[in-house]
Amino acid sequence: LNVADFNDLPLIGSKDRASHILTAPFDTLEESEKMLRYFIRFTNLSGKIAVGRNQTALKFLLTSDTLSFKFDQLYAILSEESIPVLIRARLTSLTMRIHVDRDPQASLPQVLYSRTWTNLEQGNIANTERVIETVSAQTLPTAGKHDLEKLSEFFLEQLADLAGAKARPLPGAKEGTPSLNFEPTYGQLELLSAQIAIVDLLVDYGFYSSNRDS
């Protein structure tokens, strides 16, 4: 199945073709459309079972010989504009669940100066150390710092494009400027929402600023 074949098909109302296939009556779809629908729904399910850093799900998704969910593989798809926007949206969410929202990433909240601090009891410190040791012992494939920095730069550039949604071109112009005011498709809105979500998480993890008070 070449998913890029569905990218140039005409829109159906405000839906791109992939969004239409996802919601159309199943018995009206062609075989290739049924395969695309299965692929999209499986991708969505894969992201959902990995929510909360589920180690069992992550082990299955990242070590299975039949899946292509390594960081480099997903990044190559996300940066390929010939892939339908809805598929890139679902794969963006999947990337967030299995590569970004992973140990050792942790939230870097701003310091609240009204916060009161209490001393940890020695027993609590020991328990914390044991948990960290258990997590770090995992041998699952992990996106490195350089990979996540590359991902951060990529999505920062992508946000300005508004998932390919364009305004009507001015007279003499080949295409309009990025805009959400001229009936963006469902797929474009979902891709933009997924991009905002992953950038928000990367901001929370400190990949855009090392000093949250700056």
Side-chain angles (χ1 to χ4, degrees):
L1 179 67
N2 185 0
V3 295
D5 292 341
F6 296 89
N7 199 36
D8 297 327
L9 296 177
L11 302 180
I12 299 179
S14 61
K15 292 183 179 181
D16 52 278
R17 185 54 66 97
S19 296
H20 168 73
I21 291 172
L22 199 60
T23 56
F26 191 75
D27 57 359
T28 65
L29 301 178
E30 299 177 359
E31 287 303 314
S32 60
E33 293 175 330
K34 292 178 181 178
M35 292 176 62
L36 181 71
R37 183 163 167 168
Y38 173 83
F39 173 75
I40 295 174
R41 292 198 179 280
F42 176 77
T43 301
N44 192 44
L45 176 63
S46 299
K48 287 185 175 181
I49 65 174
V51 168
R53 308 188 179 190
N54 186 315
Q55 294 299 309
T56 301
L58 288 171
K59 181 178 181 180
F60 168 72
L61 296 172
L62 293 171
T63 62
S64 173
D65 295 332
T66 60
L67 300 177
S68 301
F69 289 160
K70 302 295 190 297
F71 177 83
D72 290 339
Q73 295 168 325
L74 290 175
Y75 183 82
I77 298 173
L78 295 178
S79 57
E80 180 52 64
E81 294 185 358
S82 66
I83 304 298
V85 287
L86 181 68
I87 294 177
R88 281 185 282 150
R90 298 300 171 89
L91 290 175
T92 297
S93 297
L94 178 65
T95 301
M96 179 175 68
R97 296 304 181 195
I98 68 175
H99 289 296
V100 178
D101 191 12
R102 289 272 309 280
D103 297 304
Q105 275 70 255
S107 177
L108 296 175
Q110 289 180 309
V111 174
L112 302 178
Y113 294 102
S114 61
R115 181 181 297 168
T116 59
W117 299 88
T118 55
N119 293 326
L120 289 174
E121 296 180 5
Q122 186 63 35
N124 291 337
I125 296 176
N127 290 337
T128 303
E129 291 175 348
R130 282 198 293 271
V131 171
I132 294 174
E133 181 180 356
T134 302
V135 172
S136 63
Q138 297 293 333
T139 58
L140 299 179
T142 303
K145 181 180 179 182
H146 173 72
D147 294 327
L148 295 178
E149 288 174 345
K150 180 172 69 172
L151 196 69
S152 302
E153 294 176 3
F154 170 74
F155 281 117
L156 200 60
E157 295 174 356
Q158 289 292 301
L159 281 178
D161 187 54
L162 296 181
K166 303 287 185 182
R168 296 190 181 96
L170 297 173
K174 293 183 179 180
E175 63 178 15
T177 56
S179 174
L180 297 177
N181 295 327
F182 295 87
E183 299 181 356
T185 65
Y186 288 5
Q188 288 171 330
L189 292 175
E190 186 166 337
L191 176 57
L192 183 59
S193 177
Q195 290 173 344
I196 291 173
I198 197 170
V199 166
D200 181 65
L201 194 62
L202 288 166
V203 168
D204 195 42
Y205 291 161
F207 282 95
Y208 291 105
S209 175
S210 58
N211 183 358
R212 297 299 297 272
D213 288 330
S214 62

